[in-house]
């Protein structure tokens, strides 16, 4: 018996080595997996050792009297137990080994020896014995809970916490009331989660380090290319090369300082930029103000409030700080105003108002249109009623407060009434974040989602994205209220009483009020924005007008809408919240702006942002799924016909890297992602590396049209090692080719792709229909002549399916162009096509709407048609034309053209006399057009 010690016998040393090897295994399928992986059973005496013992003792074990053998086994067990109680774990293990030699089917002995090995620090040996105890007990039909406990303890010591948790759970299934098993399971579950998080953090740190190194390498490469270009031209740059990497930095906390303190740039430069921005605002404001005419509920609220004010003061003088459509002034006259004076923010708005007045008044002199800004005007006959619609999504951004103050001191009588009377700003904490997209973690994009002020958005559209991370995370609350009547009364007659006075230097405080609100999270979330909107109160007990018609309260109570103003979001750094947590929000109210700030929370500097449309594109699951299916089928097809060949994919316009990762996941051996924007290249590379595709996807900050696989004459290495087998791209705007898709495909086909390369997408068809999308009348007035201010030289993107009542197709759509992207040479030739539309309704054609169907492969199509179910990636393209009247049953001849960068439509003058069909509305306002041309130059 003295030789029956497996831990000492030479033959058993090999078994112990096997047990040590078992401790290094990454994973097992429980106890059976551990034993099966070892082959031989190292927990009992081997056949060779048993034969040596029998030869030395001169007796065979199976010939020993069973009673004697049982006595020896029990004596060894008792001896082992005594040694274990005294802390003599090595002797205990030896005694248990002797007992096991005599009774290898006793699972309790393996459990005891496992405990002894664990006490000795031999966790691998303990794991093997515990596994054997579990296996033997199960084979005997009596699963042993304590065996699972021993197994879990050994796995815990080896820091295999997931498996330990599983072992303790199986033991609890046998003995649900075993508190020791439950405590161990809970402990290991927590340790497993901690270990998992630690691994994720370590891997994330390593990947972020790789991102920074790759970014530095790309920066150095760009600088080298620039230096080579200057050397070839025998010139030198007029700036330091390091300055090329400079990026403007925005500090969110800087918004809390005075504006004068924030300006450090040369004043002449600031004045030039500000002047240019004012000119752009002037040019855009007429088209923006046309949106008011579609808001019947809002116009009704204005007219009701004007009627009530003029009933109290019959024949009053009304001052309108308002829209260029002049609709408020016209309504004031209809309600009985003796005189109406209108002030405007820009010259273009005044000119538009004069057109509306001429069309709707026999005597346009009944309305006085001020030529100067309201701050510079003085009138002898002061107004009794002041009405304004100078609101936008930022609430105060159009300057309604300074304008009211100026009007009160210069143009209005003391005690004048203001319409509307007050504005309540409602807000809610929001989570507007990207998380998982097509199985990839794109949350790294959230660091690039911000805005220096308030970003205009459609909250109903955002919350309908179908993502769990697009939601309001709290109930709405009143952020602040702006009492316009109180403000007007305070400045009546130039007193300014009741408003905070200027400081010693004559400047008024930047912020006139600060509200602190606690928003309570309604569910677990990661908040990153405050969403807010307005409720405009007109007095008289009527319902307020809301700028978010999709809000549940507005829907349930039927409030009138001012949805054309939109809603807004103010972004802040991400804050994890649990349901019931309170988030303190400071609301600063100034004369011309609001600011939402989280007190006591740091905000990191910002360098670059990803535009909002990019997030819509990423959340378009129909687009993503279609691309993934086409890419997967292409890779599988090429693999089937060339199984040994390396498949290289080229992603042009890679952006966030989503299509590159789809290609890598589909089986492409290498992916070259090309992105011309440095900031998007940084974003995409970070997403690719953090998702574990750095070994397959290479990001290049290049213009694909200037890339080649050949070494440059100056010795610069080629952009790609070899030509690609597959090209994936998504560089389409609403009009299909406006982002240069034809040029990118042609350049890639000529220099970057193999002759038999696959292209995804492979073809497209463009469809067009003449539509009527115009303002005819509003509130009983004729505003048809104002459509001249909707014109722009290029098409614009419009989501027609979201505004079904604002447009009407006057003919069925017709296919106008078809592009086979494999025929790149033919596509690069400008084309012209004559088509004729069969008019099916009487009406006024004011624009052509066109869209496209995109063929990804033989099975998959994507459509941007307003008549079908499409995603949110693309809108339809709408090109304004000179209005013409058409009749049902007639034909409309049109010339469609494309110059490889854009598609345009025009009436075919060779087939029809445009003058006979004209609606009388010119294509543009000539004064506005001159100003537009100057700004463009």
């Amino acid at each position: 018996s003295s030789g029956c010690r497996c831990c000492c016998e030479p033959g058993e040393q090999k078994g112990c080595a096997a047990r040590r090897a078992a401790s290094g295994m990454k994973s097992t399928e429980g106890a059976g997996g551990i034993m099966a992986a070892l082959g031989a059973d190292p927990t009992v005496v081997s056949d060779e050792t048993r034969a040596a013992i029998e030869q030395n003792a001169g007796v065979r074990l199976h010939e020993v009297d069973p009673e004697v053998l049982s006595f020896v086994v029990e004596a060894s067990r008792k001896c082992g137990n005594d040694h274990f109680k005294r802390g003599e774990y090595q002797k205990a293990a030896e005694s248990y080994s002797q007992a096991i030699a005599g009774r290898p089917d006793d699972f309790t002995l393996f459990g005891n020896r496992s405990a002894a090995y664990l006490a000795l620090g031999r966790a691998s040996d303990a794991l093997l014995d515990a596994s054997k105890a579990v296996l033997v007990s199960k084979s005997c039909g009596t699963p042993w809970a304590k065996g699972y406990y021993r197994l879990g303890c050994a796995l815990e010591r080896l820091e295999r916490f997931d498996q330990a948790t599983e072992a303790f759970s199986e033991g609890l299934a046998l003995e649900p009331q075993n508190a020791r098993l439950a405590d161990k399971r809970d402990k290991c579950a927590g340790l497993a989660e901690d270990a998992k998080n630690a691994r994720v953090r370590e891997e994330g740190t390593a990947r972020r380090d790789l991102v920074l190194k790759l970014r530095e390498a790309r920066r150095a490469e760009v600088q080298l290319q620039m230096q080579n270009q200057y050397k070839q031209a025998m010139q030198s740059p007029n700036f330091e090369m390091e300055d090329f990497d400079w990026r403007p930095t925005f500090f969110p906390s800087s918004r809390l300082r005075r504006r004068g303190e924030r300006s450090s740039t040369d004043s002449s430069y600031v004045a030039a930029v500000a002047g240019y921005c004012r000119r752009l605002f002037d040019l855009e404001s007429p088209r923006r103000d046309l949106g008011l005419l579609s808001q019947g509920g809002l116009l009704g609220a204005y007219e009701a409030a004007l009627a009530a004010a003029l009933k109290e003061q019959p024949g009053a003088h009304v001052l309108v700080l308002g829209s260029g459509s002049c609709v408020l002034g016209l309504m004031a006259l209809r309600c009985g105003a003796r005189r109406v004076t209108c002030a405007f923010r820009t010259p273009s708005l005044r000119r538009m108002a004069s057109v509306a007045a001429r069309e709707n008044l026999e005597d346009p002199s009944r309305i006085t249109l001020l030529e100067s800004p309201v701050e510079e005007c003085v009138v002898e006959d002061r107004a009794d009623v002041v009405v304004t619609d100078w609101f936008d999504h930022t609430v105060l951004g159009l300057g309604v407060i300074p304008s009211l103050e100026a009007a009160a001191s210069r143009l209005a009588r003391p005690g004048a009434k203001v319409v509307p009377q007050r504005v309540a700003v409602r807000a809610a904490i929001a989570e507007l974040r990207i998380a998982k997209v097509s199985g990839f973690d794109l949350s790294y994009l959230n660091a690039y989602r911000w805005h220096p002020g308030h970003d205009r958005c459609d909250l109903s559209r955002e919350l309908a994205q179908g993502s769990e991370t697009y939601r309001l995370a709290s109930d709405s609350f009143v952020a602040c209220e702006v009492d316009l009547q109180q403000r007007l009364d305070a400045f009546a007659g130039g007193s300014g009483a009741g408003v905070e006075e200027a400081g010693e230097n004559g400047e008024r405080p930047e912020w006139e009020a600060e509200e602190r609100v606690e928003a309570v999270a309604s569910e677990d979330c990661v908040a990153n924005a405050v969403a807010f909107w307005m409720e405009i109160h007109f007095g008289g007990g009527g319902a307020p007008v809301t700028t978010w018609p999709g809000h549940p309260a507005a829907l349930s109570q039927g409030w009138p809408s001012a949805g054309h103003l939109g809603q807004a979001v103010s972004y802040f750094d991400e804050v994890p919240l649990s349901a019931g947590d309170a988030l303190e929000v400071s609301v600063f109210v100034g004369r011309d702006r609001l600011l939402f700030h989280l007190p006591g929370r740091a905000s990191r500097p910002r360098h670059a942002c990803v535009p909002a449309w990019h997030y819509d594109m990423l959340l378009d699951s129909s687009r993503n799924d279609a691309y993934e299916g086409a890419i997967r089928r292409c890779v599988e097809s090429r693999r089937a016909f060339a199984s040994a060949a390396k498949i290289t994919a080229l992603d042009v316009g890679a952006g966030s890297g989503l299509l590159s990762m789809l290609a890598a996941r589909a089986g492409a051996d290498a992916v070259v992602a090309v992105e011309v924007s440095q900031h998007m290249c940084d974003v995409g590379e970070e997403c690719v590396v953090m998702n574990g595709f750095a070994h397959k996807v290479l990001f290049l900050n290049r213009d694909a049209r200037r890339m080649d696989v050949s070494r440059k004459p100056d010795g610069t290495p080629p952009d790609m090692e070899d030509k690609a087998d597959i090209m994936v791209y998504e560089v389409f705007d609403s009009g299909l080719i406006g982002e240069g898709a034809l040029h990118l495909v042609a350049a890639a086909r000529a220099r970057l792709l193999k002759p038999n390369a696959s292209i995804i997408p492979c073809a497209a068809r463009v469809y067009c229909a003449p539509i009527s999308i115009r303002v005819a009348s509003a509130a009983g007035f004729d505003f048809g002549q104002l459509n001249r201010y909707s014109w722009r030289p290029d098409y614009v993107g419009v989501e027609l399916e979201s505004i079904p009542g604002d447009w009407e197709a006057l003919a069925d759509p017709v296919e106008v162009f078809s592009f086979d992207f494999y025929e790149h040479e033919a596509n690069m030739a400008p084309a012209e096509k004559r088509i004729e539309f069969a008019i099916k309704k009487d009406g006024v054609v004011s624009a052509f709407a066109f869209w496209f169907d995109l063929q990804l492969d033989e099975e998959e199509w994507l459509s941007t048609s307003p008549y079908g179910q499409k995603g949110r990636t693309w809108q339809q393209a709408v090109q304004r034309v000179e209005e013409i009247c058409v009749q049902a049953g007639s034909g409309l001849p049109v010339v469609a053209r494309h110059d490889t960068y854009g598609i345009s439509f025009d009436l075919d003058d060779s087939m029809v006399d445009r003058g006979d069909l004209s609606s009388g509305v010119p294509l543009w306002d000539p004064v506005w057009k001159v100003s537009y041309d100057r700004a463009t130059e």
Side-chain angles (χ1 to χ4, degrees), residues 594-770:
L594 300 177
L595 175 64
F596 293 89
H597 176 68
L598 303 187
R601 294 183 182 271
S603 55
R604 59 181 172 183
R606 305 287 185 169
H607 299 288
C609 67
V610 173
W613 59 261
H614 198 92
Y615 296 95
D616 288 342
M617 179 181 68
L618 291 174
L619 291 172
D620 188 348
S621 59
S622 60
R623 164 194 173 271
N624 300 339
D625 294 344
Y627 264 96
E628 182 172 16
I631 292 170
R632 184 182 64 254
R633 286 188 292 270
C634 180
V635 173
E636 290 175 352
S637 174
R638 299 190 73 89
R639 187 74 71 190
F641 288 99
S643 57
K646 175 183 177 181
I647 297 178
T648 301
L650 173 66
D651 180 7
V652 176
S656 61
L658 176 61
L659 299 185
S660 298
M661 291 188 286
L662 288 175
R665 187 168 67 184
D669 299 292
V671 182
V672 178
V674 182
E675 173 57 51
V676 70
S677 166
Q678 176 179 300
H679 297 311
M680 283 307 303
C681 200
D682 292 344
V683 175
E685 190 171 60
E686 182 175 0
C687 291
V688 164
V689 172
M690 299 305 291
N691 279 277
F693 288 95
H695 64 295
K696 278 193 173 185
V697 180
L698 173 65
F699 251 88
L700 296 179
N701 186 193
R702 299 277 200 284
D703 184 340
R705 295 171 297 181
R706 294 174 172 82
M707 289 176 58
D708 207 333
V709 295
S710 303
R711 182 175 291 274
K712 307 294 191 300
D714 61 357
T716 304
D719 300 295
M720 294 171 56
E721 294 180 359
D722 196 6
K723 292 186 176 182
D725 304 280
I726 302 171
M727 178 181 176
V728 182
Y729 62 106
E730 203 278 70
V731 285
F732 306 105
D733 69 338
S734 300
L736 182 67
I737 61 175
E739 294 184 7
L742 297 181
H743 292 257
L744 289 168
V745 173
R749 289 278 292 170
R751 295 189 297 274
L752 303 178
L753 299 179
K754 295 177 180 178
N756 64 339
S758 302
I759 302 178
I760 304 172
C762 61
R765 299 171 186 165
V766 180
Y767 298 87
C768 175

Side-chain angles (χ1 to χ4, degrees), residues 329-347:
L330 294 171
M331 286 194 301
L333 286 176
R334 187 165 64 188
C335 290
R338 168 179 53 86
R339 178 184 175 189
V340 175
T341 301
C342 296
F344 306 96
R345 297 186 306 277
T346 70

Side-chain angles (χ1 to χ4, degrees), residues 405-463:
E405 293 174 356
S409 59
R410 295 169 175 267
L411 306 174
R413 301 179 188 276
K417 290 201 65 173
V418 64
V419 176
Q421 293 186 350
R422 65 185 177 90
V423 173
V425 179
R426 296 199 69 88
I429 299 299
E431 180 179 11
L432 302 174
R433 300 172 58 254
I434 289 285
K436 290 280 188 179
V437 175
S438 297
F440 302 112
D441 183 5
L442 298 187
S443 60
Y444 313 100
L445 282 165
N446 295 317
Y448 298 87
R449 185 164 196 162
W450 62 278
H451 193 279
H454 303 313
D455 196 9
R456 189 180 190 277
C457 73
D458 182 344
L459 279 177
S460 296
R461 186 177 187 274
E462 294 290 340
L463 299 179

Side-chain angles (χ1 to χ4, degrees), residues 76-93 95-96 112 115-116 119 146 150:
S76 297
R77 185 203 302 270
K78 183 178 183 305
C79 185
N81 293 341
D82 293 340
H83 285 309
F84 191 91
K85 292 177 182 178
R86 292 195 295 269
E88 298 170 347
Y89 303 118
Q90 179 62 38
K91 293 182 179 179
S95 296
Y96 292 138
N112 292 347
K146 196 170 184 179
R150 297 297 184 204

